[in-house]
Amino acid sequence: MRICVSIVLFSIASIASADTDQIIRYEVDLAVRANTVSPQTSQELAALTVGTTATFTFDAIEDATVFPPDSSTVQVYPVLDVSFQSGSINVGAQPGVYPSTVFIQGAFVLDNANYVFGGLQDTVLVTPFLDHPDFGVTSLSLAQILDDGSNPTLIDGFDIPLSLDTSLLNTDDVFIINSTNGPSEQVRYEFVDLRIVQIPAPDTLAVLALGCLLARRRRR
C-alpha cells in the first residue's frame, strides 16, 4: 500500500512539473546519401555505404531560461542526452557534455527566419557530441530554405516544437558526420522520418495514478 501511495504522489508531481519542464524526445530516421571517409581513417565510418539507415535521438527540455534569447530570431533549449545508431555504430553522448549548458556544445537551437548563405530559412539545429573516437564535428540541421523572399514556416514561434511539417524540409544533407580528418571526409545523411514524443506522457501517468488508487481501495 505504501508503495502504491508513493507511485501516486510521484505521478501527480510529475504531471504537475511536466507543464513547465516537459522532456521532449526527437527520433530522426536517416539514410546515408554519400560517404567520402577512407577506410584508413575509420573502417566503421567507411563501411556506412549509401542507403545505410540510421536513427539519431536526442532529449530536449522545455526550459527557455537556461539559454536566454540573444536575438529576435534564435531560441536555444538544453539537451539532456543523445544517441546514434547506424550500421555497426551504436553510441551515446560524450561524458560530461550533457545536460548541455554551453550554446556550442550540443544544445537544441531554433533559428527562425534568418538569412544564411543568401536564403531566408528556418532551421532546427543540434551539434551532438557523440562518444566515438572517429567522429569529428557532427550536426543535425532540419531546414526550410526559401530564396524568393517569402517567409519560411517550418518553425512557428519559439516554443519547443511538438510537431514539425517535414514536407517543408528542402535540404539534401540533414545529418553530417565529419571524420577526425575534417570536412574532406564525411558521412552525409538524408532525412527519412521524424517522431516527437513527450516524456513522461502526462496521460499515461494519470492512468497509472488512478489505477493505483483503485487498487488501494479494493484492498480495503
Side-chain angles (χ1 to χ4, degrees):
M1 185 184 301
R2 290 177 183 174
I3 294 174
C4 193
V5 171
S6 298
I7 292 174
V8 172
L9 293 176
F10 172 76
S11 300
I12 293 172
S14 300
I15 295 167
S17 64
D19 292 336
T20 55
D21 293 330
Q22 181 73 51
I23 297 171
I24 313 298
R25 173 164 294 172
Y26 297 83
E27 298 177 341
V28 188
D29 291 335
L30 308 155
V32 174
R33 196 179 77 84
N35 188 344
T36 59
V37 178
S38 164
Q40 285 72 35
T41 300
S42 171
Q43 291 187 1
E44 277 199 305
L45 285 177
L48 299 173
T49 55
V50 171
T52 302
T53 59
T55 299
F56 171 60
T57 301
F58 66 98
D59 293 344
I61 190 166
E62 206 171 29
D63 184 350
T65 65
V66 176
F67 299 98
D70 58 3
S71 76
S72 60
T73 64
V74 176
Q75 177 63 57
V76 183
Y77 291 95
V79 171
L80 300 182
D81 200 8
V82 295
S83 65
F84 177 77
Q85 189 282 319
S86 186
S88 64
I89 297 173
N90 192 346
V91 295
Q94 287 184 14
V97 176
Y98 298 96
S100 59
T101 56
V102 180
F103 174 83
I104 60 173
Q105 290 187 352
F108 178 33
V109 181
L110 301 179
D111 193 355
N112 181 234
N114 252 342
Y115 280 97
V116 180
F117 303 116
L120 190 65
Q121 70 178 49
D122 280 354
T123 306
V124 172
L125 176 67
V126 180
T127 54
F129 283 62
L130 292 159
D131 193 17
H132 192 289
D134 299 333
F135 280 37
V137 176
T138 303
S139 64
L140 169 76
S141 179
L142 304 176
Q144 180 193 14
I145 303 171
L146 298 172
D147 297 325
D148 59 5
S150 56
N151 287 323
T153 56
L154 178 66
I155 302 171
D156 183 16
F158 286 110
D159 291 337
I160 195 167
L162 301 180
S163 64
L164 287 173
D165 184 357
T166 56
S167 68
L168 300 175
L169 302 179
N170 55 3
T171 53
D172 292 329
D173 302 320
V174 302
F175 193 86
I176 298 176
I177 303 170
N178 289 295
S179 79
T180 50
N181 281 347
S184 62
E185 296 192 29
Q186 298 178 327
V187 186
R188 300 195 295 274
Y189 288 84
E190 61 187 2
F191 176 83
V192 175
D193 198 9
L194 170 67
R195 293 173 298 281
I196 303 176
V197 181
Q198 294 179 324
I199 302 171
D203 290 343
T204 302
L205 290 173
V207 170
L208 173 62
L210 178 60
C212 197
L213 284 171
L214 291 175
R216 182 167 174 255
R217 288 173 181 171
R218 282 196 296 270
R219 288 192 187 99
R220 288 179 177 176

